[in-house]
Amino acid sequence: MEKWSIHRDGQYDVAQIKYNLDGVSFVMCDDKRTERPFEIIFRHENIVAYNITDETYRADLWKCDSRFYKSEDSEYLNIFKAKSPLFPKNAVHYLIIGTNTIVDIIAKAEPEVKPCEKA
C-alpha cells in the first residue's frame, strides 16, 4: 500500500462517523486535540464497500508509519475482485488507521477532504 497524502502525518483517530444523504464521512481529530479536525467524505455513488474495525483486532496495522494509505492491489480489494465479475475496474482501497478505529473503504473516486467547521 502507498501512503495517501491527504493530511500531514501524525496521530489521528476517527472522532465521528456521519451517515447522510450525500455519503459517509469520517471526522478525524489529532490525539492531542491541538489541531482543527478534518473530514474525509465519500459520496454514496462512489462507495463499493466499507468496513469499520476496532484497532484491537487489526494487529497487522499496529506498526504502520502513516495513518492514511491507498492501494489498487490490496488483499482486501482483491477479495472483492475475485467474487464479482461486475467489480468496477477503477475501484481503490482507502485505509484510515485511527488510534482506536480502522476504516477500510473501497471507492470508485477520491473522497473530498476538508477542515471541519468551527463548533
Side-chain angles (χ1 to χ4, degrees):
M1 295 199 86
E2 68 181 71
K3 284 186 181 182
W4 176 30
S5 299
I6 60 166
H7 202 267
R8 69 176 190 79
D9 279 340
Q11 298 292 105
Y12 298 96
D13 200 14
V14 179
Q16 186 178 18
I17 301 169
K18 298 180 186 178
Y19 300 91
N20 59 45
L21 295 175
D22 294 328
V24 179
S25 64
F26 303 91
V27 176
M28 305 299 296
C29 290
D30 70 293
D31 285 354
K32 295 178 183 175
R33 303 293 197 258
T34 57
E35 294 180 23
R36 185 173 176 186
F38 63 98
E39 194 168 3
I40 304 169
I41 306 161
F42 288 88
R43 302 283 175 218
H44 282 302
E45 65 269 13
N46 295 324
I47 297 171
V48 176
Y50 66 93
N51 187 53
I52 299 167
T53 310
D54 183 295
E55 64 82 26
T56 305
Y57 308 106
R58 292 292 301 268
D60 59 317
L61 301 174
W62 287 352
K63 297 196 181 226
C64 289
D65 62 348
S66 183
R67 292 294 182 166
F68 309 104
Y69 291 91
K70 68 180 183 177
S71 176
E72 295 177 5
D73 190 35
S74 70
E75 181 181 358
Y76 185 69
L77 189 65
N78 289 330
I79 289 169
F80 285 89
K81 286 180 180 178
K83 291 183 178 192
S84 175
L86 302 175
F87 192 83
K89 292 186 183 344
N90 60 334
V92 174
H93 175 198
Y94 296 91
L95 176 62
I96 300 169
I97 304 172
T99 304
N100 297 302
T101 305
I102 309 297
V103 181
D104 292 278
I105 303 162
I106 296 175
K108 298 181 285 185
E110 287 264 338
E112 178 184 355
V113 179
K114 65 180 188 177
C116 290
E117 295 180 15
K118 291 184 180 180

